[in-house]
Amino acid sequence: MNNKLYGNLIFELSHEGRRGYSLPVNEFGNHCLPKELTRETDANLPQCDEMTVVRHYTNHSANNFGVDNGFYPLGSCTMKYNPSINEEMANLPAFSCLHPMQPEETVAGAKELERRLIHSLCELTGMADFTLKPFAGAHGELTGLMIIRSYHESRNDNARTKVIVPDSAHGTNPASAAVCGLDVIEVRSKEDGTVDVDDLRNIVEKSGDEIAAMMMTNPNTLGLFEYNIPEIADLIHACGGLMYYDGANLNPMLGVARPGDMGFDVMHVNLHKTFSTPHGGGGPGAGPVGVRKGLESFFPVVGAFDGNYAVLMRAYAYILTLGKEQVSNVGPLATLNANYIKESLRDRYKLPIDKTCMHEFVFDGLCDKSTGVTTMDVAKRLLDYGYHAPTIYFPLLFHESMMIEPTENESKETMDSFIRVMNTIADEASTNPELVKGAPHNTPIGRVDDVLAAKQPVLTYKQLKDGEN
Ligand SMILES: *Cc1c(COP(=O)(O)O)cnc(C)c1O
């Protein structure tokens, strides 16, 4: 990047007295705040002209990769497109200008939107009611587990302190259980990637009286449909536990099957994944939690206000734009797209589980391991070609996991060009492995040393003073 100003902090571009605009002298005189309310010294704010500010932030934003820039096949963390209509809706002043402390009778429209969104989510999932308050998937999991704990406590069933989680689960599942004060029992996956029901039966026989819940993701994080759900749900219910459904990525199920009909009691949905809110770098999100009939009274207080409201609006707008007619195309198209990429690349990338996948699937690195080119190298090389990397080294079941999810929103042309690039990288790995191992070559920052970054993190930044380079 040639722009000399690029890469600086806005504070480093500051010059004493520099202003973006000037205000006219106030003909009514200055009305100062009471002295005890004002600061003694001026705040250390950057002082810049407007063009410097605009260019600074524009250049930084251009350095970001988003789903609006290019294909983003990040498995297990669905990145869908960001429909412009959602942004228009979320910006409607009648909603965006509401204050969270406004009296309830002045926000009837906003409340009606919440009711309608809850109704849609109930219809899509088969649950009886939802709370929209949780701010993320992990927050939803915690909320859901608190509901489950209160349910057991309400029956004086206080020994239920264990949660069963499959070894393929997203890391937030065991983490949420731990935050909720519950112990995790891991249940194994079989060769074919689905939950080992025999292992589960052993766990239930041994600890049945202590099981609070089983958390499941279906399709699981290998992109496989857990076909033993009825048997699993019967086992858990028979021992007195509840079934929790991690619906972070609900798109393969939309309009096709409902967790409520499969025997799940409590679940969360990630609106920022399945229902199209742009996210990344930690937010913004919304993880509404649904419960089956009979558990509605256990919703805890998990947030002071009504959740991440603009995310709720985008989700509702997205559901309305799909409509009843189109919503049932989401699951089949997500599944078709994932299988199309999987089948197109399986000659070059190792497919450890050879089954029809749902919305996502996992490769275990390149087929040809002799070149020493790893999943990390392929992921970095993809950046050179303008593609976001897939999820890598997760799930932990394989050494070179590469988890790909195209989503239902991508065109065949986009997927074809991704497939071409993946094949090109496989060719490069054979003919010129050093090229792939040295990637990325075209990004503003090359390969960072993530081990060093983890072991010796540099958490402060030395600000350059005027005149320094
Ligand atoms: C993303 C994800 C989560 C966590 O959601 P956050 O909003 O990131 O907290 C949980 N489970 C699965 C399967 C996910 O993909």
Side-chain angles (χ1 to χ4, degrees):
M1 197 110 9
N2 296 326
N3 184 352
K4 197 174 170 309
L5 296 179
Y6 166 78
N8 291 339
L9 297 183
I10 189 77
F11 284 91
E12 292 172 356
L13 306 178
S14 173
H15 291 279
E16 187 66 33
R18 196 66 63 80
R19 291 286 180 273
Y21 56 86
S22 53
L23 293 173
V25 174
N26 183 354
E27 61 187 281
F28 302 106
N30 286 332
H31 300 275
C32 293
L33 289 170
K35 219 173 165 54
E36 67 273 18
L37 295 179
T38 60
R39 58 173 81 244
E40 280 159 19
T41 53
D42 283 345
N44 177 24
L45 297 176
Q47 305 184 46
C48 299
D49 59 281
E50 183 166 347
M51 291 313 288
T52 298
V53 175
V54 169
R55 287 175 189 149
H56 175 77
Y57 288 110
T58 304
N59 286 331
H60 272 306
S61 72
N63 213 20
N64 217 352
F65 189 99
V67 75
D68 285 353
N69 301 93
F71 188 51
Y72 207 125
L74 199 71
S76 183
C77 285
T78 317
M79 284 285 181
K80 311 236 276 192
Y81 78 130
N82 310 145
S84 307
I85 182 93
N86 287 6
E87 298 311 308
E88 255 177 70
M89 294 302 113
N91 278 318
L92 286 175
F95 292 91
S96 64
C97 296
L98 293 178
H99 192 283
M101 304 282 266
Q102 250 173 269
E104 191 140 344
E105 62 271 22
T106 65
V107 294
K111 288 284 167 193
E112 178 63 20
L113 186 143
E114 288 177 23
R115 270 192 293 279
R116 291 187 187 193
L117 177 58
I118 288 174
H119 178 73
S120 301
L121 292 176
C122 288
E123 286 285 304
L124 289 168
T125 59
M127 292 285 141
D129 199 3
F130 268 85
T131 169
L132 301 176
K133 290 187 176 195
F135 291 107
H139 194 194
E141 291 167 23
L142 177 62
T143 307
L145 290 170
M146 287 165 77
I147 291 170
I148 289 171
R149 214 180 49 187
S150 313
Y151 162 77
H152 291 308
E153 280 169 6
S154 77
R155 307 165 74 237
N156 286 325
D157 198 351
N158 296 319
R160 298 194 178 272
T161 55
K162 301 207 158 96
V163 177
I164 305 175
V165 179
D167 58 6
S168 64
H170 194 272
T172 50
N173 289 188
S176 300
V179 171
C180 197
L182 300 164
D183 297 323
V184 173
I185 304 181
E186 198 173 89
V187 59
R188 274 201 306 268
S189 300
K190 285 184 301 190
E191 280 283 278
D192 74 354
T194 61
V195 165
D196 184 340
V197 180
D198 291 331
D199 191 34
L200 181 66
R201 197 170 290 115
N202 289 338
I203 294 172
V204 168
E205 267 168 28
K206 221 171 103 199
S207 317
D209 296 343
E210 298 168 275
I211 302 302
M214 165 138 187
M215 298 180 88
M216 286 196 75
T217 308
N218 189 32
N220 67 21
T221 51
L222 292 164
L224 302 172
F225 192 82
E226 295 277 1
Y227 52 89
N228 284 321
I229 292 283
E231 198 182 347
I232 293 172
D234 283 349
L235 269 173
I236 298 299
H237 287 146
C239 82
L242 295 182
M243 289 289 286
Y244 184 90
Y245 182 85
D246 178 340
N249 308 293
L250 197 65
N251 40 336
M253 307 289 261
L254 278 189
V256 181
R258 308 192 309 170
D261 300 334
M262 293 178 202
F264 286 98
D265 305 289
V266 182
M267 67 175 290
H268 79 269
V269 184
N270 278 16
L271 298 185
H272 48 295
K273 290 180 183 171
T274 304
F275 296 103
S276 80
T277 284
H279 65 283
V289 170
V291 294
R292 68 151 162 79
K293 214 167 166 36
L295 293 175
E296 300 95 328
S297 59
F298 296 103
F299 282 130
V301 176
V302 292
F305 300 112
D306 283 5
N308 245 340
Y309 202 82
V311 179
L312 307 182
M313 291 194 68
R314 291 186 184 97
Y316 188 57
Y318 190 60
I319 291 171
L320 288 188
T321 48
L322 284 171
K324 250 196 200 122
E325 301 75 16
Q326 295 299 328
V327 83
S328 53
N329 282 332
V330 170
L333 284 175
T335 303
L336 180 63
N337 286 358
N339 281 286
Y340 179 64
I341 294 181
K342 171 172 70 74
E343 291 302 314
S344 305
L345 289 173
R346 59 180 293 169
D347 292 342
R348 312 301 296 276
Y349 292 86
K350 187 176 164 203
L351 187 62
I353 295 176
D354 187 7
K355 278 170 86 168
T356 303
C357 67
M358 302 302 286
H359 58 308
E360 61 192 0
F361 63 92
V362 180
F363 283 135
D364 187 9
L366 284 154
C367 288
D368 179 6
K369 300 271 190 274
S370 69
T371 62
V373 170
T374 64
T375 282
M376 178 66 87
D377 302 327
V378 173
K380 296 294 184 191
R381 187 67 180 140
L382 271 171
L383 304 179
D384 282 336
Y385 286 105
Y387 290 89
H388 195 280
T391 296
I392 58 172
Y393 298 107
F394 176 83
L396 307 175
L397 299 177
F398 312 109
H399 285 299
E400 293 289 331
S401 285
M402 184 186 288
M403 190 179 192
I404 297 175
E405 174 178 11
T407 81
E408 64 279 10
N409 300 118
E410 296 294 347
S411 69
K412 179 164 180 294
E413 291 73 22
T414 300
M415 291 188 291
D416 283 338
S417 72
F418 175 70
I419 290 163
R420 264 197 306 279
V421 165
M422 287 290 279
N423 278 322
T424 303
I425 295 174
D427 289 341
E428 289 172 349
S430 324
T431 55
N432 188 0
E434 295 313 313
L435 176 71
V436 186
K437 288 183 196 173
H441 304 284
N442 308 335
T443 53
I445 293 177
R447 197 178 294 207
V448 292
D449 184 338
D450 42 6
V451 175
L452 193 70
K455 298 216 157 151
Q456 288 175 34
V458 180
L459 301 174
T460 53
Y461 178 85
K462 184 173 166 287
Q463 187 178 328
L464 298 178
K465 295 276 174 322
D466 251 0
E468 276 184 278
N469 276 310

